[in-house]
Amino acid sequence: MGRYLIRRVLFGVLVLFVISMLTFLIFMKLPAGDPARRLAGRQPTPEILDQIRENYGLNDSFLTQYWRFARGLIPLPGFFLNEEIYYSWANRQAVKGEIAEAFQYTAVLTAGAVVLWLAIGIPIGILSALKRRSIADRAAMTFALVGVSFPTFWLGYLLIFAFYYKLGWAPPTGVEIGDGPIETALKGKYLLAWITLAVTSAAFYTRVVRGNMLETLSEDYIRTARAKGLSDRRVTYKHAFRASVTPVVTMLGLDMAGLLAGAVITEQVFVLPGLGRYAIRALEGQDFPPVMAVTLLAALFIVVANLVVDVIYAALDPRVRYT
Amino acid sequence: MPVPLLEVDDMRVHFPTDDGLVKAVDGITFSIAPGETLGIVGESGSGKSVSSLTIMGLLDRKRTQISGRVLFRGQDLLELPDDEMRTIRGAKISMIFQDPMTSLHPYYKVGAQIAEAIIHHRDASKKEAMNQAVEMLGKVNIPQPRDRANQYPHEFSGGMRQRAMIAMALALNPDLLIADEPTTALDVTVQAQILELIDSLKSEFNAAVMIVTHDLGVVAEYCDTIQVMYAGKIVEYGRTDDIYYRPHHPYTWGLLGSIPHLGDDSDRLNPIKGLPPSLINVPSGCAFRPRCPYAFERCSIDVPPLIPTDGFHADACHLSLQDKDRIANEEVLSTS
């Protein structure tokens, strides 16, 4: 296990290195993205462009330039997102502080949505499997199909239209000045966003849990459990539940990582200043330092989530062992 | 004749499907005495496994039509409400299954899985139940049972898993053990050990055993009585000697003929020709008729009833007793 972990961590570092290199190439070296032109504004004179190139070190060698950004990604004090390099070219704000703040909004969004969709997806999936072919099962599967098919932006605007604009039950979108993510959540401003994310994901989880549960219930070891004279309840909730929910851990880990990296569309619809919106703004302005930081952060989430999921899976399923 | 432990009376198990009614078990009657070992023999689809699942009450009653009676110590199991059936299932009647590789839960330790039944039926403490589970593992000849109880099923070999299943099934000292193809999935060398084990524990625990198998050769040594099933019906039953030395039904002949013998000169097996019939459209008359080399007109008209011939021995075939004895002696027993 120890050696396995070391190998996985080293591999993760390699992945992050490659991603940082690609991001650098795409935004700094491909013809479409001459940063000097971006920075110079409309119709710059060649003198201004030269001046900018000089100031931003754009005439340095490829490796020098790459290293300037790469060293800011090393997670050590003094290096990590150091403010001489990692500041926004658009508004001169330090990337570190902006990301730290944006991340809190995204984290609250993710946490609420995940709790909600598990609370919907797992019970409905299980009941649906137990009452297979009943009206309740068919209704749940219809919900699942419809839910998966909803685009988040459409569902999001629909909910805002219905619950804010027409019914007035929900507060308006947007974060009030001076409010942090917690205050925003307490004012109910996350509610519709959570529901939007939860419905689309819960629908998928319902299907998966139902499928796993049906498969598990037909396993020989479930018949053995019933042959022992155990109650249906114990067979379902001890023997079948554990085996059918374990695979969900894998999905959940990766989905959470994806959301933490920025629920771009949902944040956009509900005007939440999270990582997704931050990333969009940086990309639109081809604002390289934030782009680099956000991209690597997203990649880091995915790499870490993969590792964590595998470790948890090994803990849950005794057959899985890593060497 | 001793008072039977289990009496099955005209049991029918039908499954409605889109293609029609599947008559998996179609009116079987038999009984098991305390301490007796009964072998139920037949091909796949003859209804033998469905019979054992019905006795255990493990079929989904909503999707099955079950009729007849299954009397266990005089109590009709088919009439019992679910919660009362659960006090019998696993405690008074227990079952081991065909595939030990998949019959144990992969996420729980073997000892805990055995202990679970003890805790459930006996209200034992976790520790007592665990000690008993370890003791049972020792009884089924698993070395270092205390360490083994702490392992997961995937750390056990196939034979060991079946031993663990037997330990689980006998932990509550049941009156009847149903073994559904207990050796089919195991290596030949392990098969004999498992049957030997069931046989010796049966005496120790004073349990009756019902062994379901497709292999007449496997059970010969351990069964007191044997019944042969075909297409959901019993076609012959008798004491083991009757079945082996005076077989009367052409299907039994076929089963006996398909056991390979040591020193047999022919280089081919003698399988029964054809396939078991569809259980939706069972052939008219005798269900075995299309595959029977001795069939005559009457066989396609009348369903042959199960008629006792000599003592505790009956068969369902239209051939005359003289013909049966003659064919059995000349064509079946002489070759083996």
Side-chain angles (χ1 to χ4, degrees):
Chain A
M1 191 76 184
R3 293 184 59 160
Y4 170 79
L5 278 179
I6 291 170
R7 213 168 59 224
R8 284 289 301 265
V9 169
L10 289 178
F11 185 72
V13 171
L14 179 69
V15 168
L16 294 177
F17 166 74
V18 171
I19 288 173
S20 70
M21 186 60 101
L22 284 175
T23 313
F24 179 75
L25 276 173
I26 290 167
F27 284 90
M28 298 292 277
K29 292 296 162 192
L30 287 190
D34 181 355
R37 275 184 192 286
R38 286 271 149 197
L39 287 163
R42 284 188 188 164
Q43 296 174 348
T45 59
E47 292 75 33
I48 290 174
L49 283 178
D50 282 343
Q51 186 63 46
I52 288 172
R53 289 206 175 94
E54 193 60 35
N55 290 351
Y56 283 80
L58 299 177
N59 292 327
D60 297 344
S61 76
F62 176 87
L63 280 179
T64 313
Q65 286 192 61
Y66 171 71
W67 176 241
R68 193 182 297 138
F69 289 103
R71 66 195 290 269
L73 299 171
I74 299 168
L76 290 174
F79 284 92
F80 189 59
L81 298 182
N82 59 324
E83 289 172 16
E84 302 88 75
I85 301 300
Y86 278 93
Y87 63 88
S88 163
W89 290 347
N91 64 6
R92 310 260 146 193
Q93 294 291 312
V95 172
K96 201 196 269 180
E98 293 218 293
I99 281 190
E101 203 188 324
F103 177 72
Q104 294 172 25
Y105 287 94
T106 304
V108 171
L109 176 65
T110 305
V114 165
V115 168
L116 200 57
W117 92 50
L118 288 181
I120 299 172
I122 292 180
I124 293 186
I126 285 174
L127 291 179
S128 208
L130 293 179
K131 306 272 173 213
R132 192 182 180 187
R133 291 177 196 181
S134 65
I135 294 182
D137 177 30
R138 286 179 208 279
M141 285 307 100
T142 309
F143 156 76
L145 180 65
V146 173
V148 179
S149 315
F150 280 161
T152 38
F153 62 86
W154 180 80
L155 180 62
Y157 283 126
L158 190 77
L159 290 176
I160 293 171
F161 179 76
F163 290 102
Y164 164 64
Y165 189 71
K166 282 287 173 195
L167 296 170
W169 295 352
T173 55
V175 174
E176 285 169 36
I177 292 169
D179 279 359
I182 303 293
E183 289 84 4
T184 311
L186 290 177
K187 285 179 182 167
K189 296 197 170 219
Y190 271 106
L191 221 49
L192 294 181
W194 284 336
I195 293 172
T196 304
L197 278 178
V199 164
T200 44
S201 297
F204 186 61
Y205 277 62
T206 305
R207 285 194 78 92
V208 170
V209 169
R210 177 180 180 270
N212 286 346
M213 192 74 183
L214 283 177
E215 205 183 305
T216 310
L217 284 175
S218 66
E219 292 279 358
D220 288 348
Y221 56 78
I222 295 301
R223 191 182 52 192
T224 306
R226 294 178 57 216
K228 280 196 263 191
L230 303 179
S231 63
D232 288 351
R233 183 191 222 125
R234 191 169 168 86
V235 171
T236 308
Y237 293 103
K238 186 176 175 209
H239 290 256
F241 182 78
R242 170 117 182 243
S244 44
V245 169
T246 303
V248 171
V249 171
T250 311
M251 276 167 55
L252 184 65
L254 298 181
D255 281 351
M256 273 181 72
L259 280 185
L260 284 177
V264 176
I265 293 170
T266 312
E267 284 175 4
Q268 198 72 20
V269 169
F270 291 94
V271 206
L272 293 167
L275 279 181
R277 263 174 79 87
Y278 185 70
I280 293 273
R281 209 176 66 206
L283 283 166
E284 276 172 357
Q286 295 215 356
D287 192 354
F288 182 69
V291 166
M292 184 79 157
V294 168
T295 310
L296 264 289
L297 193 63
L300 180 71
F301 284 144
I302 301 289
V303 167
V304 171
N306 266 300
L307 185 58
V308 169
V309 158
D310 284 350
V311 171
I312 291 178
Y313 207 98
L316 290 178
D317 186 341
R319 288 169 299 181
V320 180
R321 281 287 167 273
Y322 298 116
T323 45
Chain B
M1 189 153 166
V3 182
L5 175 71
L6 181 82
E7 276 183 280
V8 174
D9 181 23
D10 195 31
M11 180 169 81
R12 287 164 205 273
V13 185
H14 296 174
F15 300 99
T17 67
D18 293 342
D19 301 323
L21 197 62
V22 176
K23 297 176 178 173
V25 176
D26 204 21
I28 62 170
T29 300
F30 66 92
S31 63
I32 303 176
E36 180 187 341
T37 302
L38 166 72
I40 299 186
V41 184
E43 283 166 291
S44 314
S46 59
K48 51 193 175 18
S49 287
V50 172
S51 303
S52 44
L53 290 174
T54 311
I55 295 169
M56 282 294 281
L58 286 177
L59 291 177
D60 185 349
R61 289 195 197 184
K62 279 183 228 140
R63 274 183 262 164
T64 336
Q65 300 169 356
I66 305 175
S67 66
R69 291 191 305 168
V70 177
L71 299 176
F72 178 74
R73 296 190 177 287
Q75 197 174 26
D76 190 351
L77 299 183
L78 298 181
E79 300 281 306
L80 275 189
D82 269 354
D83 52 336
E84 281 180 50
M85 186 62 208
R86 276 201 298 272
T87 62
I88 291 178
R89 190 194 295 149
K92 301 272 192 292
I93 308 179
S94 57
M95 186 163 178
I96 56 179
F97 298 98
Q98 177 168 354
D99 192 351
M101 307 310 274
T102 54
S103 292
L104 289 162
H105 200 301
Y107 289 4
Y108 296 106
K109 290 175 179 168
V110 174
Q113 295 193 46
I114 298 171
E116 189 181 19
I118 302 170
I119 295 168
H120 178 74
H121 288 286
R122 289 279 158 81
D123 242 348
S125 76
K126 222 172 186 172
K127 204 172 162 208
E128 284 164 11
M130 215 41 203
N131 285 335
Q132 209 188 327
V134 170
E135 192 189 323
M136 282 309 299
L137 284 174
K139 283 199 175 153
V140 295
N141 301 330
I142 286 180
Q144 280 129 20
R146 193 156 287 279
D147 299 334
R148 285 299 191 164
N150 258 322
Q151 291 185 334
Y152 291 98
H154 71 270
E155 295 168 277
F156 277 48
S157 69
M160 294 239 290
R161 285 187 219 187
Q162 196 60 298
R163 283 166 198 277
M165 283 295 294
I166 294 171
M168 187 189 290
L170 292 179
L172 288 148
N173 204 349
D175 298 324
L176 175 64
L177 172 68
I178 301 177
D180 186 358
E181 306 253 6
T183 60
T184 307
L186 302 174
D187 285 348
V188 182
T189 46
V190 183
Q191 288 184 356
Q193 291 172 18
I194 293 291
L195 289 168
E196 210 50 73
L197 179 71
I198 292 175
D199 199 47
S200 70
L201 289 173
K202 165 192 126 88
S203 336
E204 188 182 335
F205 286 83
N206 194 25
V209 177
M210 182 174 133
I211 297 183
V212 174
T213 180
H214 64 269
D215 190 344
L216 203 44
V218 165
V219 291
E221 229 178 295
Y222 306 99
C223 292
D224 303 314
T225 53
I226 288 178
Q227 65 189 33
V228 180
M229 282 188 74
Y230 189 77
K233 289 188 161 70
I234 296 173
V235 293
E236 180 165 8
Y237 69 79
R239 295 185 199 294
T240 305
D241 282 356
D242 296 333
I243 301 296
Y244 277 88
Y245 299 114
R246 283 180 300 282
H248 279 164
H249 196 282
Y251 180 59
T252 315
W253 300 339
L255 289 177
L256 286 167
S258 50
I259 303 171
H261 292 276
L262 220 58
D264 200 340
D265 286 342
S266 71
D267 33 354
R268 291 177 149 270
L269 291 170
N270 291 311
I272 304 171
K273 291 189 175 59
L275 293 169
S278 144
L279 295 171
I280 296 171
N281 299 307
V282 184
S284 66
C286 172
F288 188 56
R289 187 222 344 131
R291 301 169 73 185
C292 179
Y294 310 101
F296 55 105
E297 295 116 73
R298 198 181 157 196
C299 299
S300 56
I301 304 164
D302 293 339
V303 179
L306 193 59
I307 299 172
T309 49
D310 43 341
F312 184 74
H313 185 192
D315 65 274
C317 177
H318 288 313
L319 290 173
S320 71
L321 194 56
Q322 291 93 314
D323 282 344
K324 289 174 194 165
D325 279 332
R326 183 180 53 77
I327 297 170
N329 282 323
E330 287 174 6
E331 298 181 27
V332 185
L333 300 173
S334 59
T335 59
S336 58

